[in-house]
Amino acid sequence: MKIKNTLLIILFAVSLSSCYNQERNCTDFKTGKFEFSQEIDGQKETSIFERTEEFQIETFRGKTDTSSVRWVNDCEFILQKLNPKNRAEKKAIHMKILSTTENGYLFEYSFVGDTNKQKGTVTKIK
């Protein structure tokens, strides 16, 4: 009787966890043109960027920056600015795609080695 109850509990837990699988088609977002919006000092700011296999070119507040892109796996990559203007810009950023939809993805990011992670949503334009 005890084994039967334990088996039922395990099957129930497995069935619940399988329903929660979030879609992650990360390869659909390795390249393309994207938009990212966030609130900074109470105002919505939008960044447009284009990513190839090797580079990401981003325009934010009228300024354009280029970063190298190094894919760790299909859903994680490291961004490193090519021409940093200060010490803070020299820090690499670890990006991890958490889930995807048809036209965008939810991600978390932090400076490499930093435990303070932030989340955002990106929409694919092209």
Side-chain angles (χ1 to χ4, degrees):
M1 181 80 166
K2 220 177 189 185
I3 294 173
K4 189 176 181 182
N5 286 342
T6 304
L7 185 59
L8 285 173
I9 291 170
I10 291 171
L11 286 173
F12 181 70
V14 168
S15 68
L16 280 179
S17 66
S18 66
C19 294
Y20 185 70
N21 279 344
Q22 292 183 322
E23 186 177 350
R24 281 199 339 166
N25 295 322
C26 301
T27 55
D28 293 348
F29 300 98
K30 280 192 166 187
T31 62
K33 190 170 186 177
F34 304 91
E35 179 179 270
F36 171 61
S37 296
Q38 62 184 328
E39 191 170 307
I40 299 174
D41 297 328
Q43 288 200 287
K44 184 178 178 181
E45 299 279 354
T46 300
S47 174
I48 304 290
F49 60 95
E50 194 155 352
R51 186 165 49 232
T52 67
E53 287 283 338
E54 297 178 14
F55 299 103
Q56 180 167 302
I57 302 165
E58 180 175 5
T59 302
F60 178 69
R61 292 182 175 166
K63 294 182 181 178
T64 301
D65 280 319
T66 302
S67 298
S68 65
V69 176
R70 182 175 55 87
W71 287 91
V72 177
N73 58 47
D74 282 344
C75 295
E76 296 180 60
F77 59 97
I78 306 293
L79 286 176
Q80 181 73 57
K81 286 202 179 202
L82 293 182
N83 299 302
K85 295 177 180 41
N86 56 48
R87 187 180 199 120
E89 289 185 359
K90 287 183 181 182
K91 294 181 180 180
I93 299 173
H94 178 251
M95 310 285 282
K96 180 178 182 180
I97 298 173
L98 301 174
S99 64
T100 62
T101 62
E102 187 176 314
N103 63 343
Y105 60 88
L106 171 68
F107 70 101
E108 70 178 16
Y109 63 100
S110 65
F111 289 113
V112 172
D114 192 348
T115 57
N116 183 22
K117 298 185 185 315
Q118 307 229 1
K119 289 186 179 179
T121 304
V122 166
T123 303
K124 190 167 188 176
I125 300 170
K126 288 188 204 176

